[in-house]
Structure formats: C-alpha cells, structure tokens
Amino acid sequence: MPRRGLYLQGKTRWLLVGLALVFSLMLLTYLLECAPAPEGNGSLPGIAGEMYSKEYYQALLQEQEEHYKSRATSLKRQIAQLKQELQEMSEKLRSAHDKKLANGAGHQGTKEQPPNDLLEFLHSQIDKAEVVVGAKLPSEYAVVPFESFDSMKVYQLEMGLTRHPEEKPIRKDRRDELVEVVEAGLEVINNPDEDDEEPENRGGDKVLFTETDFVEGYYRTERDKGSHYELFYKKPESGSYRHITLFRPFGPLMKVKVETQDVSRTIINIIVPLSGRTEAFAQFIQNYKDVCIRQDKRTYLTVVYFGEDGLSEVQKILKTIESDQNSHNYTLIPLKEEFSRGRGLEVGARAWDKDDVLLFFCDVDIYFTPGFLETCRINSETGKRVFYPVVFSLYNPAIVYANLDAPPSVDQQLVHKKDSGFWRDFGFGMTCQYKSDFLSIGGFDLEVRGWGGEDVHLYRKYLHGDLIVVRTPVPGLFHLWHEKHCVDELTPEQYRMCIQSKAMNEASHPHLGMLVFRDEIEAHLHKQAFRTNNEPEA
C-alpha cells in the first residue's frame, strides 16, 4: 500500500510540473511570435506614402521595442507567479495525500481509493469563475470581456501594436486552441451523456453535427481560474441552437452544461429614443426594413420621440413601413419633454403590455445585421443573462477616405480595420435584456439628463447583481459616424465624456497625427519638389 501511495504521489507531482512547463512554453512562444502583421490599408488621408522619414520609422521601432520589453517583463512576472502558485498547490496536494495515507493505514481490508484532491481543485476553479452564475463586481472595469470568433475570424478588443480588431487566427497555438474547442463541443453534442441527450434523439436516428454547423463562439481567460468557452451550433433547417459551455481550468476541458435554445419565436422589441435627427432616422429605417422586415421577421419597433420639431417628418418616415412593407409592427410615442435617453428607453420598455419580451436598447446611428439579432437572442436569458455587445464605431469617412473623390457607400464602409474604426469598449448603451430583468433591476436612473451616464448606471446595477453579464465584441453591430455637439448645459462629467467620445470618433491615431502635422509635411514635400526641379540634369 505505501508503494502504491508513492506512485500516485509521484504521478500527481509530475502532472503539475508538466502543466507548468506547457504553460511556460506557450508564453515564450507568444513572445517569439508577437510580430505585427502588415495591414493592407497603409495610406493616410491625402498624403503619399513617401512622406515618412527615417526618423519616423526609428521612433516607431523604438516605441514597439519599448512595448515588447514591457510586455516581456510582465509575462516573466506572470510566469514566476504561476510557478509559485503551482508549487504551493503541489505542496498542499502532497500534504493532503500524506494525511490520507496516514489515516487509512489501519484499514487494510478497505478498497483503496485514488486521491481526488486534484479533481476537486479543478472543479473548484469552475465554481470560482463566472460560468454558471454571475459574480458581484465592484465596477464596470472589473468585468472580463469575452472575445468572439466564428469559423473564419476572431474579433478582439485588445489590439495594442500588433493585433487588429478582426483577424484570422494566424498563430498556430491560437488556431489549434479554437479548433480543439469546436471539436470538443461537437464531441459533447454527438456523443452525449444520458442526462444531456435530447428527447427526440432517444431511440431514433441521431442528428449528427459537423464543423459546418458551428455558428459562433466566445472565450475569455481569467488568469487565476482558467479559460471559459461559449459555443453555438445550428443546423441550417432548424430554428434551435445547441449551446455548449466548456471550461479549461488550466487543464483538460471540462463540460459544464449542454442545452438547446429555441429562438425561432423570440420577438425583439427594438427601442429607439429620438429628438430631431430626421435624416439619420430615415437611414435607420432603411436598414430596419432590409434586416428586420424582409429577412428576420421577428421584431417590433418602438420609437420614443421628444419634442414637436420634426415629429411630423418622423411620422411620414414610419408610414413608409406600412406602405412599402405592409407591416404595422411599430409604435410611436411622442413626449413633450426635454430629451433624456434613459427616460425614452424606460418609457419604451414599459409601453410593451404583452408577455415578457426581449428588449434591444438602440440608437438612431446604429447599423445592425440579421446575424446580430440572432446573437442578441442566444445571449439573453430571463433571470440568468443580459447581453452587452461592444459596438464597432466607424471613424469620420471624410478623413478615412480623403484620398478618394467621395466616401464609399455605407455598406462598403462596414469593415473592421484599424483605420476605419475601433471597438467602442467604453460604451454600454447598446444592450439586449428581457423586460422582466430590466424592471427587476430597477430600470434607468431618471435623474440623469441629456447625454451619457444613464447606460453606465444600469450596467453597474447588473454587475452588482446575480445575473451573468455577457460582454463581447460582435461583428454585426456598427456605430455610424456623425458630428457630435457637446452643449454647455451638460454637467462637467457629461461634458468630459462627450468630448472624449468626440475625439475618439474622428479618426485613428495615425490619421489624426497626419492632420496635426499637415502643414509641416506639406512644407517638406514642397522643399523636396523644389530641390528635384532645380537639380542639374546629367
């Protein structure tokens, strides 16, 4: 019996050491392969590529070198900390195992049970992570956002100097990880346990899923717990999604739950608060007709309009839904009040007098796709989850496309590139949640007036509650550029937020830099042209 205990003890120790070495190797591989990928759209507005001087490239290289050194130092520190945690856990397991052996020495007739401390530890990682139930968090910055992916690309928030808003998983470790996760999800669906098997598959022909049935997924990693994966599969002819939750607690993947989500009859009530902006509203309605009426056919539109100026024009635009599409699934609620986004959304949400409904709080400058509406449905669940997608905000097309005679159409501007836009990770205004959850949490803070602030208050309420907040960038949700006006009536905090949003919306850092130094660059180009014209011919 002692020999058996030593064997198990040694096996546990080597397992922990192996995990530490594999994790360290992955981090070192990341350091070696963190090379910036070239991006095709390298030109800047109205200025030729030859404008870059040697000093510019030297400064850029120096900036990247400093970034890599800082990143390397941070990773080394994390590696050291993880090694220390593994060592401490190994000592705890060894101590617990020795204690078990000592207590069981006098019971030779009892069947020996293998130590399960490691398995209990791995399961405890699931309990500590925000996988099954929500965690109460101190602020909006404490939440760990997901990154989303489909069969072709990854959509990520953290870009730095080397990553892009949308990119293919070029690095082999990242690509292999996502392929493994998708295949693990298929294994769970196609070879279910008795508790997970769908009733319609029992005793009959099984419905087998393949890689082509994978729709989308989300993942995030909490450094001290593990990696959390949410996967969605769907057959083309079906209205139901298979939702698989997996968790890797710094070890093998562990199945958390398997469920079917039938969203084929889930209605989305899209609520838009509005005051003026009739041209933007006409553009919004055109997108609404194309996506919601012609394709999705499971939505309702509620427009809450403040004031009387422009109200008749909004009524005419809404009438086109009836005349063009023969649809009456909309409501216009006029309010003779000063504009308040929170007040408008609150009134629109409470106006729905039927059964519980999925709400999508939207703005007139938002462009969405049919895929986003499905994403909204599968990530919202009554009493369990609310969905806070990260919008991709487009820059000023007059700056982005200054080298063209005219900006391209809106459809052609909808691309995820560094020079075309950014993930609006500081905005919490677009959200999908059920009316019952919205009312249970207490709705908006109606003391907030004017621009900004009300969405953050609502977001914090959910973070302090028990519901899971799903926060991830989504490829089918865009914020169209429009000129911002920060009025004097705003509070200092609102005015600061408005100015910050205005600066972020104009253009990328390189584009803004080229505008700031335009005079200097043009003077340089003028001198170069003068020298070239005055050089003696050979």
Side-chain angles (χ1 to χ4, degrees), residues 395-413:
Y395 290 134
N396 186 346
I399 298 177
V400 176
Y401 304 101
N403 58 330
L404 302 179
D405 294 335
S409 64
V410 172
D411 291 342
Q412 293 176 317
Q413 295 179 32

Side-chain angles (χ1 to χ4, degrees), residues 139-298:
S139 72
E140 63 270 26
Y141 302 105
V143 69
V144 179
F146 286 82
E147 293 186 338
S148 58
F149 67 100
D150 51 33
S151 58
M152 296 297 294
K153 293 181 179 179
V154 176
Y155 306 92
Q156 52 206 3
L157 284 175
E158 298 295 334
M159 294 183 294
L161 296 174
T162 62
R163 301 171 69 187
H164 305 283
E166 168 200 86
E167 66 181 17
K168 294 182 179 179
I170 299 174
R171 281 180 42 198
K172 187 177 185 300
D173 57 340
R174 170 68 65 84
R175 185 170 62 250
D176 291 349
E177 175 199 11
L178 298 182
V179 170
E180 178 195 4
V181 168
V182 172
E183 290 177 349
L186 289 172
E187 179 67 20
V188 170
I189 295 176
N190 293 330
N191 298 289
D193 299 333
E194 290 184 3
D195 295 337
D196 298 330
E197 190 172 6
E198 293 295 313
E200 61 268 23
N201 289 336
R202 294 174 184 169
D205 295 333
K206 284 188 175 181
V207 178
L208 295 179
F209 286 72
T210 65
E211 290 85 355
T212 58
D213 299 320
F214 174 69
V215 180
E216 63 189 59
Y218 313 100
Y219 67 95
R220 65 179 176 183
T221 298
E222 297 184 59
R223 186 186 59 80
D224 59 341
K225 299 178 183 69
S227 296
H228 173 193
Y229 306 90
E230 299 282 351
L231 310 173
F232 296 91
Y233 302 80
K234 179 179 178 295
K235 285 291 185 182
E237 67 277 8
S238 173
S240 301
Y241 288 79
R242 299 303 302 275
H243 178 193
I244 309 297
T245 301
L246 300 175
F247 189 76
R248 189 198 302 274
F250 295 130
L253 286 170
M254 300 179 67
K255 180 187 70 178
V256 177
K257 63 178 180 179
V258 180
E259 62 184 7
T260 298
Q261 291 181 250
D262 185 1
V263 297
S264 58
R265 297 183 179 181
T266 302
I267 302 297
I268 299 178
N269 185 8
I270 303 174
I271 303 177
V272 181
L274 186 64
S275 178
R277 308 285 314 283
T278 54
E279 290 186 6
F281 184 66
Q283 186 178 42
F284 175 87
I285 289 297
Q286 185 59 49
N287 180 47
Y288 179 82
K289 292 177 183 178
D290 294 340
V291 173
C292 299
I293 299 180
R294 298 191 183 104
Q295 299 182 61
D296 187 82
K297 301 178 181 179
R298 289 168 291 162

